[in-house]
C-alpha cells in the first residue's frame, strides 16, 4: 500500500466525474482514469448498456483509450484510478496492460477481485505486480453506487 497523495485525490475526482456522467446516462456509476506522468491519457464511465457490451466496464474502456493515445498496448508506468474495486475481468486487463499502480475508491464485497472477493493481482504465478492503493475517496464512490441503486428500487 502507498500513502495517498494530493494528486490521487485530483485524479480520483476526475474518475468520480466519469462515474457521475455514467449515472446520468443510466449506467452503473463507475468511472476510471488512466494517468501517465501526471497526464490523463484515458478516461471513461461504464457503457455496458449503451454499447450492449458486457465488457464495456469503465476500466476496460479507459485502458483501451490510453493504449490508443500512447500507441502501445503496454501501459508501463501508468496509474489506473477506478471509483470501485475492479472485477476479475478488469483486474486481468490491468495485468495484461502492465499497469504499474492501481488506485481505487470503494471496496466491492460482491464482485471485487483485488482485495475483497479475490486477490487476482497478488496471484503468485503472475509475471507482473501492481502496486495498489485502496480507499481513496471511498465514501464518495460508494455513495454514487448507493444512491444510483436506491433510486432504482
Amino acid at each position: 500500500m502507498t500513502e495517498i497523495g494530493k494528486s490521487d485525490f485530483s485524479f480520483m475526482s476526475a474518475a468520480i466525474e466519469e462515474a457521475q456522467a455514467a449515472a446520468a446516462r443510466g449506467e452503473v456509476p463507475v468511472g476510471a482514469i488512466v494517468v501517465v506522468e501526471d497526464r490523463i491519457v484515458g478516461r471513461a464511465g461504464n457503457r455496458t448498456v449503451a454499447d450492449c457490451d458486457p465488457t464495456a466496464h469503465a476500466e476496460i474502456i479507459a485502458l483501451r483509450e490510453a493504449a490508443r493515445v500512447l500507441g502501445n498496448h503496454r501501459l508501463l508506468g501508468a496509474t489506473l484510478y477506478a471509483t470501485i474495486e475492479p472485477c476479475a475481468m478488469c483486474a486481468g486487463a490491468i495485468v495484461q496492460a502492465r499497469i504499474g499502480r492501481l488506485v481505487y475508491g470503494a471496496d466491492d464485497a460482491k464482485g471485487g477481485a483485488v482485495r475483497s472477493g479475490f486477490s487476482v493481482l497478488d496471484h503468485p504465478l503472475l509475471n507482473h505486480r501492481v502496486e495498489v492503493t485502496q480507499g481513496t475517496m471511498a465514501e464518495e464512490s460508494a455513495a454514487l453506487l448507493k444512491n444510483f441503486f436506491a433510486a432504482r428500487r
Side-chain angles (χ1 to χ4, degrees):
M1 299 293 170
T2 335
E3 186 178 316
I4 298 170
K6 186 177 177 182
S7 64
D8 285 348
F9 287 102
S10 174
F11 291 125
M12 186 60 79
S13 293
I16 286 173
E17 289 174 11
E18 293 294 329
Q20 291 167 331
R25 295 189 308 270
E27 301 276 1
V28 174
V30 176
I33 301 290
V34 179
V35 175
V36 174
E37 297 176 357
D38 288 328
R39 186 183 86 161
I40 295 174
V41 294
R43 64 186 320 139
N46 272 358
R47 289 201 322 235
T48 56
V49 175
D51 292 359
C52 197
D53 179 356
T55 69
H57 289 195
E59 299 93 328
I60 300 293
I61 298 165
L63 289 171
R64 288 175 182 160
E65 181 180 325
R68 273 192 302 276
V69 166
L70 297 174
N72 196 332
H73 67 287
R74 298 286 190 235
L75 303 175
L76 298 169
T79 299
L80 174 69
Y81 292 84
T83 57
I84 192 166
E85 178 182 4
C87 69
M89 174 184 69
C90 293
I94 288 166
V95 171
Q96 293 300 315
R98 303 299 193 265
I99 291 292
R101 181 169 177 243
L102 166 67
V103 178
Y104 73 87
D107 288 330
D108 183 355
K110 293 181 181 178
V114 176
R115 298 279 185 260
S116 298
F118 302 100
S119 296
V120 171
L121 301 180
D122 294 331
H123 196 283
L125 295 178
L126 291 176
N127 64 348
H128 178 71
R129 296 287 170 247
V130 179
E131 181 183 335
V132 177
T133 301
Q134 65 190 87
T136 303
M137 299 181 76
E139 290 179 19
E140 295 89 337
S141 297
L144 283 170
L145 290 163
K146 181 180 176 184
N147 295 338
F148 177 82
F149 288 113
R152 298 234 168 327
R153 291 187 185 119

